Amino acid sequence: MRLAPAIAAALHAAVDDSDTGYAGDASELVAHFCEFAQRRWRWHVEPAAVRTCADIAVGVTEVLRRLVSPGDGVVVMPPVYPPYFAWLREVGAHAVEVPLVELEVGGRLDLEGIERALAAGARVVLLCHPHNPTGRVHESGELQALAEAAARYGATVLSDEIHGPLTHQGHHFHPYLSCGDAALATGIAFTSASKAWNLAGLKCALIVASDPRHSQVIDRLPHELPWGVGHLGMLAATAAFEHGEIWLDQLVDALAANAVLLRDQLAQQLPEVTFPMPQASYLAWLNCSPLRLGSDPAQAFLQHGRVALSSGHDFGARGSGHARFNFACSPDLIREAVSRMAHTALLRR
């Protein structure tokens, strides 16, 4: 899909006005995000709780610097977005891997495992919600239980919610900070228009911290952090949250249709390959182990089929034999990719 018309119009207007300087006052962006959150998720956000940063990677990394010391452990739930591991190395922390359970349904939080990790000394949980790569939207009950565990151990949950706007019809995204008093007291949320409206290169993200203790953490972030926000990124995000929902709904419907197409194409051409149907976003976590292409099937698909999937190894524990498929493309590309993958599997038998 082409860029949402309201966003394109805002960017064209800025260029026509030669308005390409620094990002300024973020109050309009914040106001429209708060309205969007209320409409979309029934999440009430106070504007004073919101700060800006260039992107979620920067925001999470800088918050981590204020929450952990070198050598501290941070809970992550593999298979999970690979850059998390690099962010932790950047701040001198190490990943305490508590793998998701029930991956066949997209992966549920291992609440007992997380509690054991907190009891052993971890004080931060890095939550991917909705989950990348499985597309699971964590249920409110799971999030409430996570929040209660974090509260028992004085831990902080950093909730990466960048894929939240891409939740498919029939599923409901519950922002972590909307899941009760324990979540409000333990959580800091990170979100952006960048994934849902394809704005990543324009640089604009949001940090939400409602608890006074976490507000103090945010207040101690480097003063130059908001200056990393792109002016065009702020204009685009503002237009997305204010005028972009009809376009977003059309996109989400197209993505859900693509997920069904991918499932059906695999069933026809590679029935051994399975994946949990995503509840959000545009990613499928393919279990290719039955094909016997080795621990990294993505390498075989690239070498023999010229299909570029993400290697399962990069996603931490339980990535062996898996690959991530991005289905945010045309239906014809999905058909061609699966056909090439099937040909690769046939060649290697």
Side-chain angles (χ1 to χ4, degrees):
M1 295 175 69
R2 295 182 63 83
L3 198 62
I7 295 173
L11 296 175
H12 280 299
V15 172
D16 289 343
D17 292 340
S18 297
D19 182 16
T20 54
Y22 292 111
D25 180 14
S27 58
E28 184 179 1
L29 165 64
V30 171
H32 287 300
F33 166 72
C34 293
E35 293 166 0
F36 174 86
Q38 182 66 52
R39 286 194 309 270
R40 197 85 178 174
W41 305 312
R42 299 187 294 279
W43 177 27
H44 176 72
V45 181
E46 290 290 344
V50 185
R51 304 287 193 279
T52 58
C53 61
D55 54 39
I56 288 180
V58 170
V60 171
T61 301
E62 291 303 326
V63 169
L64 279 170
R65 291 189 201 279
R66 277 128 193 100
L67 294 177
V68 301
S69 300
D72 285 351
V74 174
V75 175
V76 295
M77 304 159 201
V80 74
Y81 183 53
Y84 283 4
F85 300 100
W87 301 353
L88 298 185
R89 290 193 297 270
E90 172 69 19
V91 301
H94 72 273
V96 179
E97 298 193 26
V98 182
L100 297 176
V101 296
E102 300 181 34
L103 276 174
E104 67 278 4
V105 296
R108 299 183 184 277
L109 304 182
D110 180 358
L111 293 166
E112 293 182 358
I114 293 170
E115 181 130 13
R116 287 194 297 270
L118 297 177
R123 287 296 176 266
V124 174
V125 176
L126 183 50
L127 175 69
C128 193
H129 174 49
H131 199 83
N132 176 354
T134 67
R136 173 86 194 295
V137 179
H138 301 300
E139 296 174 359
S140 60
E142 292 176 90
L143 299 174
Q144 290 167 7
L146 172 62
E148 290 163 4
R152 282 193 292 274
Y153 292 94
T156 301
V157 176
L158 305 184
S159 187
D160 173 1
E161 301 181 351
I162 197 168
H163 291 278
L166 291 169
T167 299
H168 298 179
Q169 295 293 328
H171 303 281
H172 186 70
F173 171 69
H174 299 276
Y176 180 79
L177 293 178
S178 73
C179 293
D181 291 343
L184 277 172
T186 58
I188 301 174
F190 302 80
T191 191
S192 173
S194 62
K195 295 297 184 185
W197 286 275
N198 196 25
L199 307 174
L202 298 182
K203 297 300 178 185
C204 183
L206 301 171
I207 307 171
V208 186
S210 298
D211 182 76
R213 176 171 63 98
H214 293 138
S215 295
Q216 292 174 9
V217 172
I218 303 305
D219 289 340
R220 296 199 308 270
L221 293 175
H223 75 276
E224 65 270 17
L225 195 66
W227 293 104
V229 174
H231 176 53
L232 297 181
M234 185 178 292
L235 293 175
T238 302
F241 290 129
E242 183 180 10
H243 299 297
E245 276 187 89
I246 293 176
W247 183 93
L248 176 63
D249 289 338
Q250 294 170 345
L251 171 67
V252 169
D253 287 346
L255 293 177
N258 276 2
V260 172
L261 175 63
L262 175 60
R263 181 197 65 192
D264 293 347
Q265 288 293 304
L266 287 171
Q268 293 171 21
Q269 302 189 58
L270 278 174
E272 305 97 326
V273 175
T274 58
F275 68 97
M277 284 298 288
Q279 300 172 347
S281 200
Y282 45 80
L283 303 167
W285 183 240
L286 305 185
N287 181 0
C288 305
S289 301
L291 298 179
R292 299 183 180 178
L293 296 176
S295 65
D296 189 7
Q299 180 61 32
F301 291 135
L302 180 62
Q303 181 177 354
H304 299 285
R306 309 307 296 168
V307 178
L309 306 183
S310 298
S311 170
H313 284 313
D314 295 337
F315 293 79
R318 303 187 182 176
S320 179
H322 289 71
R324 188 184 71 175
F325 189 115
N326 183 330
F327 54 81
C329 57
S330 72
D332 285 344
L333 278 178
I334 292 173
R335 295 186 185 96
E336 178 68 17
V338 175
S339 176
R340 292 184 182 203
M341 292 164 64
H343 183 66
T344 296
L346 185 62
L347 286 176
R348 296 292 298 273
R349 282 180 179 150

